[in-house]
Amino acid sequence: MSREKIPLTPALLALKKNQVVFVPRTYKYVEHGGTRVGAKALGVDEHEVIKTLVMEDERKAPLIILMHGDREVSTKNLARFLGVKTVHPCDPKIAEKYTGYKVGGTSPFGTKKTMPIYMEETIAALPRILINAGSRGLLAEMPPSELIRVLHPISVKVGVSP
């Protein structure tokens, strides 16, 4: 890891408060580069890089969905699972109000607003994950068991190939 200064984010504070075993990993953020850029820069499989997506249902109720970097969320299947008519990605400004993070740096840890968190079920089987730590270009590497212990996400099967 380079000797870059790691920003102190609400996510890192939440990880430390909960005594999460993690390794901060930094890379050069590229606008609209997605998980592909981070995975390539850090030499890891994009499947291990977990996206934190903020969505809303038709009543504007927010939720977080955690998904593999190389997969997409079937909003139709997620809506069916939730028992709502529709689910769609939040407007970036609204997502920032809910989380306190800029899109591209959204972490499920240390969000401003408490929201239900859903996680693609296959994430739990990975030996490690890299998930955003609250700043663009900053990921936290950890076993998925740590994420599950702290966040208690609801397991779903809504991932589809892009």
Side-chain angles (χ1 to χ4, degrees):
M1 186 169 78
S2 64
R3 305 254 318 138
E4 289 180 58
K5 183 169 170 44
I6 295 173
L8 190 58
T9 66
L12 290 178
L13 293 173
L15 291 171
K16 289 176 182 178
K17 177 183 173 196
N18 287 287
Q19 300 177 337
V20 172
V21 177
F22 74 99
V23 176
R25 304 280 305 267
T26 61
Y27 66 95
K28 184 173 173 30
Y29 177 79
V30 175
E31 193 76 32
H32 304 294
T35 53
R36 187 185 83 264
V37 170
K40 186 175 179 185
L42 297 172
V44 299
D45 188 326
E46 189 178 6
H47 197 68
E48 296 176 319
V49 180
I50 307 304
K51 308 185 259 200
T52 303
L53 305 168
V54 183
M55 300 202 173
E56 290 178 324
D57 66 18
E58 73 272 5
R59 298 179 321 264
K60 302 281 186 206
L63 62 103
I64 289 176
I65 177 84
L66 305 175
M67 182 56 65
H68 297 282
D70 60 352
R71 307 273 290 167
E72 292 180 359
V73 174
S74 166
T75 54
K76 184 177 179 180
N77 289 345
L78 182 57
R80 189 176 303 126
F81 177 86
L82 297 173
V84 298
K85 290 181 185 176
T86 61
V87 173
H88 59 273
C90 267
D91 174 270
K93 286 183 172 57
I94 302 295
E96 192 173 327
K97 284 183 182 175
Y98 290 144
T99 64
Y101 301 117
K102 291 195 177 303
V103 171
T106 304
S107 177
F109 299 99
T111 58
K112 273 187 179 178
K113 179 177 174 63
T114 301
M115 295 171 272
I117 300 174
Y118 300 89
M119 178 182 82
E120 181 67 13
E121 67 181 14
T122 51
I123 291 171
L126 294 173
R128 68 171 177 187
I129 60 170
L130 289 90
I131 192 159
N132 202 286
S135 181
R136 293 172 172 177
L138 176 61
L139 300 177
E141 181 179 330
M142 68 183 72
S145 58
E146 287 288 77
L147 179 144
I148 293 164
R149 176 179 66 83
V150 174
L151 298 178
H152 309 288
I154 298 161
S155 185
V156 295
K157 191 171 184 172
V158 296
V160 294
S161 295

